[in-house]
Amino acid sequence: MPAGFIAVHTGCGNAVDQRKYKNVSNRACERAIAVLLRDGGDGTTMEACEAAIRELEDSGETNAGFGSNLTWEGRVECEASIMDGASRLFGACTNVSRVKNPISLARVVCEKQNRLLKLGRIPPMVVSGQGAEAFAAETNIEMVENEEQMISKKALKCYRLHKETIQKYESINDIKISSLDTVGAVCVDAAGNITAGCSSGGLILKVSGRIGQAATYGAGCWASMNPNSSIATCTTGNGEYLMKTLLAKEIVSDLTASQCPITTINTTFQTKFLKSPFLSDLDEVYGGALTIDYDHETRRGDLLWAHTTKYMCLGYMSTGKRKPKFLMSEMPDIEKAGKVTIVSGHQFKLPQ
């Protein structure tokens, strides 16, 4: 029987309603596991990771795909990325409004990285805007007729609320942060093949054309398959903070030589995120990450989650389990949000 493990997150924040995330997280995990078990184990971790994130994008409850946050002008501008640990290939798209599932476009971009275009041209690693949508159409990625079809009732309600609220304040900085529900997934199989991906609609009321961590190399997701272990992570939070610190890449790099994964994750967040010299002028730094650290020989893995926000919602499942597990990680003291890191984990073993 094929063996594999999937974990997903629906973001982090200081005001999170876990009820709306539980069902979609469970569906995402089940969809990924079904891919891994397909045709006796024909499904890959890339396909499973994409399938999980597609479910999160389609839900209308998360800030990704259908349901993405709207720009200041009320438009949808999505982005996503995916990275294959075995090949270390990365693909991303950004500022797309009519691509139904941005993660699927990101995967196509990733898989085309190792093949030159006509006349020996180098293939793109990131595609953007109208060019990205043209690329999607050429490669048979599902499109919607107009971007209004990507706007959920939740996103529109949120947009109107924040647009009205901001008129009462001198600047958007006076508004306390709520959820940062970018989505992500990490997936590994028994052989150590590993993939990480993420998808986002960006910050609420973001500037049109803004690019966030979900489309940025080294910031949104990272995956690496080494001779003895495989590590992958996907991040969530304030994209600008994650981009300035390249947090995804730093997490995987630090875990590569780690003896204690939880201690290492905590140290990475403390020294390279909360106390990063690139963020030294900030009193509160919001971010989170979901990570798999898998040992090829023992077939044991650590699922790790860390966040500096009040809450972080996640789910996980292995091919040997009948049901997914969902949980909401919580910081006991809201006053410490943005200033300290909560780190926890779950150990799993994949059968022979």
Side-chain angles (χ1 to χ4, degrees):
M1 177 180 176
F5 184 88
I6 182 73
V8 303
H9 73 71
T10 54
C12 62
N14 291 340
V16 174
D17 182 358
Q18 65 172 321
R19 294 171 298 176
K20 70 178 182 179
Y21 292 136
K22 182 175 181 179
N23 290 336
V24 66
S25 293
N26 288 347
R27 292 197 305 269
C29 289
E30 290 169 345
R31 188 169 176 180
I33 292 300
V35 169
L36 291 175
L37 295 176
R38 185 188 63 206
D39 297 332
D42 182 54
T44 67
T45 59
M46 280 280 283
E47 293 172 316
C49 187
E50 177 198 4
I53 295 177
R54 283 177 62 99
E55 187 68 38
L56 297 172
E57 289 176 336
D58 290 342
S59 72
E61 297 291 352
T62 68
N63 175 26
F66 174 65
S68 289
N69 285 334
L70 306 184
T71 68
W72 180 260
E73 293 82 9
R75 298 196 59 200
V76 172
E77 293 182 358
C78 302
E79 62 183 23
S81 64
I82 197 166
M83 186 167 183
D84 174 35
S87 65
R88 290 182 171 81
L89 295 177
F90 172 92
C93 63
T94 186
N95 291 326
V96 293
S97 302
R98 297 193 305 112
V99 177
K100 185 175 183 295
N101 292 107
I103 190 63
S104 295
L105 175 55
R107 180 188 161 197
V108 169
V109 173
C110 179
E111 292 181 335
K112 289 182 176 294
Q113 280 283 294
N114 59 359
R115 297 190 297 274
L116 293 176
L117 302 176
K118 291 181 179 179
L119 302 178
R121 292 175 298 151
I122 296 175
M125 188 168 71
V126 182
V127 291
S128 175
Q130 293 181 349
E133 292 181 359
F135 185 88
E138 291 172 3
T139 52
N140 298 317
I141 297 295
E142 186 175 358
M143 308 282 286
V144 297
E145 291 185 7
N146 56 72
E147 68 176 87
E148 284 73 23
Q149 293 176 260
M150 297 291 287
I151 301 177
S152 69
K153 292 181 179 179
K154 180 216 74 168
L156 187 58
K157 180 180 178 180
C158 182
Y159 169 76
R160 289 171 175 170
L161 175 64
H162 282 78
K163 201 69 181 287
E164 292 172 2
T165 302
I166 200 172
Q167 306 301 327
K168 302 177 183 179
Y169 295 85
E170 293 182 1
S171 75
I172 197 169
N173 293 326
D174 295 320
I175 301 176
K176 201 66 176 176
I177 193 171
S178 57
S179 60
L180 294 166
D181 43 0
T182 289
V183 305
V186 282
C187 184
V188 68
D189 65 18
N193 297 297
I194 196 163
T195 303
C198 58
S199 181
S200 179
L203 297 172
I204 297 171
L205 303 180
K206 68 178 182 178
V207 173
S208 182
R210 174 221 185 229
I211 298 173
Q213 99 278 2
T216 302
Y217 189 67
C221 66
W222 198 262
S224 177
M225 181 179 180
N226 306 305
N228 301 314
S229 67
S230 296
I231 307 169
T233 191
C234 53
T235 65
T236 177
N238 186 302
E240 279 66 25
Y241 303 167
L242 299 165
M243 289 187 286
K244 288 181 179 180
T245 57
L246 293 177
L247 186 62
K249 184 177 184 299
E250 292 288 1
I251 287 172
V252 174
S253 295
D254 289 350
L255 282 172
T256 301
S258 170
Q259 297 298 315
C260 179
I262 286 184
T263 299
T264 299
I265 289 277
N266 184 64
T267 300
T268 302
F269 263 77
Q270 291 298 318
T271 61
K272 297 182 179 179
F273 191 60
L274 285 173
K275 297 180 181 179
S276 168
F278 299 103
L279 304 175
S280 59
D281 58 334
L282 300 170
D283 295 326
E284 297 175 343
V285 179
Y286 295 101
L290 184 65
T291 307
I292 287 177
D293 186 353
Y294 177 76
D295 184 276
H296 298 178
E297 183 178 356
T298 64
R299 299 167 75 99
R300 294 182 181 274
D302 288 293
L303 174 66
L304 308 158
W305 54 92
H307 56 101
T308 65
T309 54
K310 175 66 174 174
Y311 301 108
M312 182 173 180
C313 294
L314 61 123
Y316 56 87
M317 184 179 183
S318 71
T319 49
K321 300 295 182 180
R322 299 177 64 180
K323 294 182 179 180
K325 173 73 174 179
F326 173 84
L327 61 88
M328 182 174 71
S329 178
E330 181 176 359
M331 183 177 294
D333 186 354
I334 184 63
E335 297 301 321
K336 293 183 178 180
K339 302 174 183 177
V340 300
T341 307
I342 293 294
V343 185
S344 190
H346 164 77
Q347 291 186 325
F348 63 92
K349 182 174 182 179
L350 298 181
Q352 297 288 341

